[in-house]
Amino acid sequence: MLTKKEEGIGIGVGAGVGKSKGFKAGMILLFGTLLLLTMLFPNTARAATSVYTISAFTNTSESNMYIYESYNATHYGLLKGPAYTPPADLIRDPSIMKHTDVLYYVIYTTNWSGNTIGIASSPDKVNWTFVRNITLSSPTTIAHTWAPEWLKDSNGSLNIIVSLSPGNYENFKPYVLTASGSNLASTSWSAPTELAGIAPNYIDTFIVKTGSTYHAFTKNETTK
Protein backbone atom coordinates (compact mmCIF):
# COMPACT_ATOMS: atom_id res chain seq x y z
CA MET A 1 0.00 0.00 0.00
CA LEU A 2 1.33 3.43 -0.98
CA THR A 3 1.86 6.23 1.51
CA LYS A 4 0.37 9.63 0.71
CA LYS A 5 3.79 10.78 -0.50
CA GLU A 6 4.15 7.73 -2.70
CA GLU A 7 0.60 8.21 -3.94
CA GLY A 8 1.51 11.75 -4.92
CA ILE A 9 4.52 10.50 -6.84
CA GLY A 10 2.49 7.80 -8.49
CA ILE A 11 -0.24 10.21 -9.49
CA GLY A 12 2.28 12.77 -10.70
CA VAL A 13 4.16 10.33 -12.92
CA GLY A 14 0.95 8.87 -14.29
CA ALA A 15 -0.38 12.34 -15.18
CA GLY A 16 2.94 13.31 -16.82
CA VAL A 17 2.98 10.25 -19.02
CA GLY A 18 -0.60 10.91 -20.05
CA LYS A 19 0.17 14.52 -20.97
CA SER A 20 3.26 13.48 -22.94
CA LYS A 21 1.33 10.95 -24.96
CA GLY A 22 -1.43 13.49 -25.63
CA PHE A 23 1.11 16.11 -26.75
CA LYS A 24 2.79 13.70 -29.17
CA ALA A 25 -0.54 12.62 -30.62
CA GLY A 26 -1.55 16.26 -31.06
CA MET A 27 1.71 17.12 -32.86
CA ILE A 28 1.36 14.11 -35.17
CA LEU A 29 -2.19 15.18 -35.99
CA LEU A 30 -1.04 18.77 -36.63
CA PHE A 31 1.80 17.77 -38.95
CA GLY A 32 -0.46 15.33 -40.75
CA THR A 33 -3.03 18.05 -41.32
CA LEU A 34 -0.40 20.49 -42.62
CA LEU A 35 0.99 17.85 -44.97
CA LEU A 36 -2.49 17.10 -46.28
CA LEU A 37 -3.23 20.81 -46.83
CA THR A 38 0.08 21.26 -48.65
CA MET A 39 -0.75 18.38 -50.97
CA LEU A 40 -4.30 19.60 -51.61
CA PHE A 41 -3.42 23.29 -51.92
CA PRO A 42 0.27 23.50 -52.98
CA ASN A 43 0.07 27.11 -54.16
CA THR A 44 -1.24 28.47 -50.85
CA ALA A 45 2.11 28.20 -49.05
CA ARG A 46 3.98 29.16 -52.19
CA ALA A 47 1.97 32.34 -52.68
CA ALA A 48 3.04 33.62 -49.27
CA THR A 49 6.73 33.09 -50.04
CA SER A 50 9.01 35.26 -52.20
CA VAL A 51 10.09 33.39 -55.31
CA TYR A 52 13.20 34.30 -57.27
CA THR A 53 13.29 33.34 -60.95
CA ILE A 54 16.14 32.89 -63.42
CA SER A 55 15.51 32.49 -67.14
CA ALA A 56 18.42 31.04 -69.08
CA PHE A 57 19.69 29.41 -72.25
CA THR A 58 22.79 27.33 -72.93
CA ASN A 59 25.50 27.57 -75.57
CA THR A 60 24.46 24.16 -76.83
CA SER A 61 20.74 24.97 -76.80
CA GLU A 62 20.18 28.56 -77.97
CA SER A 63 16.64 27.72 -79.12
CA ASN A 64 15.38 26.60 -75.69
CA MET A 65 14.66 28.55 -72.53
CA TYR A 66 15.10 27.06 -69.06
CA ILE A 67 13.38 28.36 -65.92
CA TYR A 68 14.93 28.06 -62.45
CA GLU A 69 13.40 29.07 -59.11
CA SER A 70 14.64 29.74 -55.60
CA TYR A 71 13.09 30.71 -52.27
CA ASN A 72 16.31 32.16 -50.83
CA ALA A 73 18.06 33.61 -53.92
CA THR A 74 21.01 31.29 -53.22
CA HIS A 75 20.03 27.77 -54.24
CA TYR A 76 18.11 27.37 -57.49
CA GLY A 77 16.28 24.35 -58.84
CA LEU A 78 15.03 23.68 -62.35
CA LEU A 79 11.34 24.53 -62.66
CA LYS A 80 11.13 23.39 -66.28
CA GLY A 81 13.59 22.87 -69.08
CA PRO A 82 13.16 23.40 -71.84
CA ALA A 83 10.23 25.61 -70.85
CA TYR A 84 9.85 27.39 -74.19
CA THR A 85 11.06 26.98 -77.76
CA PRO A 86 10.16 29.77 -80.23
CA PRO A 87 8.55 28.81 -83.55
CA ALA A 88 11.70 29.96 -85.36
CA ASP A 89 15.19 31.26 -84.70
CA LEU A 90 16.79 31.50 -81.23
CA ILE A 91 15.92 32.53 -77.68
CA ARG A 92 18.97 34.19 -76.18
CA ASP A 93 19.12 36.70 -73.32
CA PRO A 94 15.56 36.02 -72.03
CA SER A 95 14.16 38.70 -69.71
CA ILE A 96 10.92 38.06 -67.76
CA MET A 97 8.45 40.42 -66.12
CA LYS A 98 4.92 40.09 -64.72
CA HIS A 99 2.55 42.43 -66.52
CA THR A 100 -0.65 44.19 -65.40
CA ASP A 101 -2.73 41.46 -67.08
CA VAL A 102 -1.22 38.98 -64.55
CA LEU A 103 0.67 37.12 -67.28
CA TYR A 104 4.43 36.65 -67.38
CA TYR A 105 6.15 37.96 -70.51
CA VAL A 106 9.60 37.04 -71.75
CA ILE A 107 11.43 39.18 -74.28
CA TYR A 108 14.47 37.76 -76.02
CA THR A 109 17.14 37.96 -78.73
CA THR A 110 15.90 36.14 -81.83
CA ASN A 111 19.22 35.76 -83.66
CA TRP A 112 22.86 36.77 -83.77
CA SER A 113 22.08 39.17 -86.63
CA GLY A 114 18.93 41.03 -87.61
CA ASN A 115 16.58 43.70 -86.29
CA THR A 116 13.92 41.74 -84.40
CA ILE A 117 13.23 40.77 -80.80
CA GLY A 118 10.68 38.16 -79.67
CA ILE A 119 7.94 38.06 -77.02
CA ALA A 120 6.18 35.05 -75.43
CA SER A 121 3.70 34.86 -72.53
CA SER A 122 2.85 32.43 -69.73
CA PRO A 123 0.35 32.22 -66.85
CA ASP A 124 2.73 30.22 -64.65
CA LYS A 125 6.31 30.38 -66.06
CA VAL A 126 5.89 26.74 -67.11
CA ASN A 127 3.60 26.87 -70.14
CA TRP A 128 4.67 29.49 -72.69
CA THR A 129 3.00 30.76 -75.87
CA PHE A 130 4.62 32.76 -78.66
CA VAL A 131 3.13 36.28 -78.87
CA ARG A 132 4.99 38.13 -81.61
CA ASN A 133 8.25 39.44 -82.98
CA ILE A 134 8.95 43.17 -82.92
CA THR A 135 10.82 44.60 -85.91
CA LEU A 136 12.97 47.60 -85.06
CA SER A 137 13.54 50.45 -87.52
CA SER A 138 16.01 53.28 -87.25
CA PRO A 139 17.59 55.93 -89.52
CA THR A 140 20.91 54.17 -88.91
CA THR A 141 21.67 50.58 -89.87
CA ILE A 142 20.70 47.87 -87.39
CA ALA A 143 22.75 44.74 -88.00
CA HIS A 144 22.64 43.14 -84.54
CA THR A 145 19.83 43.40 -81.96
CA TRP A 146 20.86 41.92 -78.63
CA ALA A 147 19.81 41.48 -75.02
CA PRO A 148 16.43 43.22 -74.68
CA GLU A 149 15.41 43.99 -71.08
CA TRP A 150 12.08 45.13 -69.67
CA LEU A 151 11.87 48.46 -67.83
CA LYS A 152 8.68 49.41 -65.99
CA ASP A 153 9.02 53.11 -65.23
CA SER A 154 7.50 54.89 -62.26
CA ASN A 155 5.30 56.95 -64.62
CA GLY A 156 3.53 53.74 -65.66
CA SER A 157 5.23 53.38 -69.04
CA LEU A 158 6.53 50.04 -70.28
CA ASN A 159 9.90 50.14 -72.01
CA ILE A 160 12.46 47.88 -73.62
CA ILE A 161 16.19 48.53 -73.27
CA VAL A 162 18.09 46.88 -76.12
CA SER A 163 21.67 46.84 -77.46
CA LEU A 164 22.03 47.70 -81.17
CA SER A 165 25.07 47.44 -83.43
CA PRO A 166 25.56 48.85 -86.97
CA GLY A 167 27.57 45.79 -88.00
CA ASN A 168 30.46 43.41 -87.47
CA TYR A 169 29.37 42.83 -83.83
CA GLU A 170 30.94 46.15 -82.83
CA ASN A 171 29.98 49.56 -81.45
CA PHE A 172 26.90 48.38 -79.59
CA LYS A 173 24.88 51.15 -77.96
CA PRO A 174 21.87 50.98 -75.62
CA TYR A 175 18.51 52.18 -76.91
CA VAL A 176 15.04 52.49 -75.38
CA LEU A 177 11.66 51.69 -76.95
CA THR A 178 8.37 52.67 -75.29
CA ALA A 179 5.03 50.90 -75.73
CA SER A 180 2.05 53.01 -76.79
CA GLY A 181 -0.43 50.66 -75.05
CA SER A 182 -0.65 47.89 -72.47
CA ASN A 183 -1.66 45.03 -74.78
CA LEU A 184 1.68 43.46 -75.66
CA ALA A 185 0.14 41.36 -78.42
CA SER A 186 -0.87 44.41 -80.46
CA THR A 187 0.73 47.59 -79.11
CA SER A 188 3.02 49.66 -81.27
CA TRP A 189 6.46 50.70 -80.07
CA SER A 190 8.37 53.94 -80.45
CA ALA A 191 11.45 54.13 -82.63
CA PRO A 192 14.67 53.27 -80.76
CA THR A 193 16.14 56.25 -78.91
CA GLU A 194 19.81 56.12 -77.93
CA LEU A 195 20.63 56.40 -74.23
CA ALA A 196 23.30 59.04 -73.67
CA GLY A 197 26.20 58.69 -71.26
CA ILE A 198 27.14 55.04 -71.83
CA ALA A 199 30.33 54.40 -73.80
CA PRO A 200 30.17 52.46 -77.10
CA ASN A 201 30.28 48.66 -77.15
CA TYR A 202 28.56 48.10 -73.83
CA ILE A 203 25.79 45.49 -73.99
CA ASP A 204 23.21 43.75 -71.76
CA THR A 205 22.24 47.08 -70.20
CA PHE A 206 19.76 46.68 -67.33
CA ILE A 207 18.22 49.77 -65.73
CA VAL A 208 16.86 50.18 -62.20
CA LYS A 209 15.22 53.35 -60.90
CA THR A 210 15.76 54.32 -57.25
CA GLY A 211 13.95 57.45 -56.22
CA SER A 212 14.44 59.90 -59.07
CA THR A 213 17.72 58.37 -60.27
CA TYR A 214 18.18 55.72 -62.97
CA HIS A 215 21.05 53.24 -62.53
CA ALA A 216 22.38 51.31 -65.53
CA PHE A 217 24.15 47.98 -65.07
CA THR A 218 26.00 47.11 -68.27
CA LYS A 219 28.80 44.95 -69.67
CA ASN A 220 31.90 45.98 -71.60
CA GLU A 221 31.76 43.76 -74.67
CA THR A 222 35.33 44.68 -75.68
CA THR A 223 37.06 43.52 -72.51
CA LYS A 224 34.31 41.03 -71.51
Side-chain angles (χ1 to χ4, degrees), residues 17-36:
V17 171
K19 289 181 180 179
S20 176
K21 289 182 178 179
F23 176 77
K24 289 181 180 179
M27 291 301 294
I28 292 173
L29 179 60
L30 174 62
F31 285 126
T33 302
L34 290 175
L35 179 60
L36 179 61

Side-chain angles (χ1 to χ4, degrees), residues 4 15 18 31 40-42 66 79 89-91 104-105 120 124 126 152 161 175 183 188 190 194 221 224:
K4 290 190 179 291
F31 285 126
L40 292 176
F41 308 101
Y66 297 77
L79 178 64
D89 300 320
L90 310 177
I91 178 165
Y104 296 94
Y105 286 88
D124 53 13
V126 174
K152 285 185 176 182
I161 310 299
Y175 288 76
N183 188 333
S188 59
S190 66
E194 184 180 346
E221 181 66 2
K224 305 294 185 182

Side-chain angles (χ1 to χ4, degrees), residues 11-195:
I11 293 171
V13 171
V17 171
K19 289 181 180 179
S20 176
K21 289 182 178 179
F23 176 77
K24 289 181 180 179
M27 291 301 294
I28 292 173
L29 179 60
L30 174 62
F31 285 126
T33 302
L34 290 175
L35 179 60
L36 179 61
L37 288 174
T38 302
M39 294 173 65
L40 292 176
F41 308 101
N43 291 328
T44 303
R46 181 175 177 176
T49 306
S50 296
V51 179
Y52 301 86
T53 302
I54 289 179
S55 55
F57 69 98
T58 67
N59 287 332
T60 58
S61 185
E62 297 176 295
S63 295
N64 296 301
M65 178 177 69
Y66 297 77
I67 300 294
Y68 297 83
E69 282 192 348
S70 171
Y71 295 98
N72 58 15
T74 302
H75 301 93
Y76 284 81
L78 180 65
L79 178 64
K80 186 177 181 181
Y84 172 66
T85 302
D89 300 320
L90 310 177
I91 178 165
R92 292 177 61 90
D93 315 312
S95 173
I96 294 178
M97 65 120 182
K98 193 170 187 179
H99 196 29
T100 53
D101 59 6
V102 197
L103 292 177
Y104 296 94
Y105 286 88
V106 61
I107 191 165
Y108 54 91
T109 302
T110 58
N111 221 317
W112 285 90
S113 300
N115 64 335
T116 65
I117 49 182
I119 298 179
S121 67
S122 170
D124 53 13
K125 295 182 288 187
V126 174
N127 302 289
W128 292 88
T129 303
F130 174 74
V131 174
R132 62 187 288 202
N133 281 343
I134 301 172
T135 301
L136 280 61
S137 59
S138 173
T140 58
T141 301
I142 301 176
H144 312 292
T145 305
W146 286 8
E149 297 280 357
W150 295 114
L151 171 61
K152 285 185 176 182
D153 210 335
S154 57
N155 62 7
S157 66
L158 180 61
N159 308 273
I160 297 172
I161 310 299
V162 64
S163 302
L164 304 179
S165 164
N168 200 32
Y169 304 101
E170 296 176 339
N171 297 316
F172 279 95
K173 294 181 179 180
Y175 288 76
V176 59
L177 293 75
T178 302
S180 61
S182 61
N183 188 333
L184 296 185
S186 60
T187 185
S188 59
W189 293 84
S190 66
T193 300
E194 184 180 346
L195 299 181

